[in-house]
Amino acid sequence: MTTPSPDPRLDAIARSCVALHVRMTARAVTRAYDEAMRPSGLKITQFVLLSALSTGQWKSVTELAERFALERTSLTRNLQLLAAEGMVEPVECRGRASVYAVTEKGRAAIEAAIPYWRMAQDKIEGGFGEERWRETRDGLKALRRAARGER
């Protein structure tokens, strides 16, 4: 049996596909944060969600999902898990417009996790370079706008 020759188009796709490279990077970064934060008992997604909710500026789950580019169902599932742990609680519901607040237990979890988050942040930002990270962050914002068809 002979091995088919590689299709150069597919090789070019693997090298240049924005979605592939962004997803690979997101998974690697998420793993690094999750590993660093393991002693806190929170995953990075939970930490960021608790931190965002603690500001009190979100009027609904939908608004929060839109701001952080999350699927509403994924966000709702994460909120339910945090509620089951006693870290958030629903405080208001108007139809489907649920609003959650961080409990004392959730605030304590945030405080306990901050040093682990800082360790991961410093490791990644330090390894990448502070200036380079600022440029990349701005580039990622532009990439999100382009993906939404904005300029």
Side-chain angles (χ1 to χ4, degrees), residues 60-121:
S60 70
V61 170
T62 300
E63 182 184 32
L64 185 62
E66 288 172 2
R67 170 62 176 90
F68 288 99
L70 298 168
E71 295 295 327
R72 191 179 190 286
T73 54
S74 296
L75 178 57
T76 299
R77 185 175 60 249
N78 280 303
L79 287 168
Q80 289 169 345
L81 291 170
L82 290 170
E85 293 289 324
M87 293 189 205
V88 299
E89 61 188 3
V91 292
E92 195 176 321
C93 280
R94 280 174 263 134
R96 289 181 50 163
S98 302
V99 179
Y100 285 80
V102 178
T103 64
E104 284 300 319
K105 183 177 180 180
R107 280 189 280 288
I110 292 169
E111 286 302 317
I114 287 174
Y116 300 107
W117 174 85
R118 173 53 55 201
M119 184 174 58
Q121 182 77 8

Side-chain angles (χ1 to χ4, degrees), residues 32-83:
Y33 275 89
D34 283 348
E35 181 63 32
M37 295 184 69
R38 182 169 289 144
S40 77
L42 290 178
K43 292 183 176 283
I44 186 62
T45 52
Q46 295 168 319
F47 175 74
V48 171
L49 182 54
L50 283 170
S51 298
L53 286 171
S54 71
T55 68
Q57 67 183 18
W58 309 104
K59 296 177 184 73
S60 70
V61 170
T62 300
E63 182 184 32
L64 185 62
E66 288 172 2
R67 170 62 176 90
F68 288 99
L70 298 168
E71 295 295 327
R72 191 179 190 286
T73 54
S74 296
L75 178 57
T76 299
R77 185 175 60 249
N78 280 303
L79 287 168
Q80 289 169 345
L81 291 170
L82 290 170

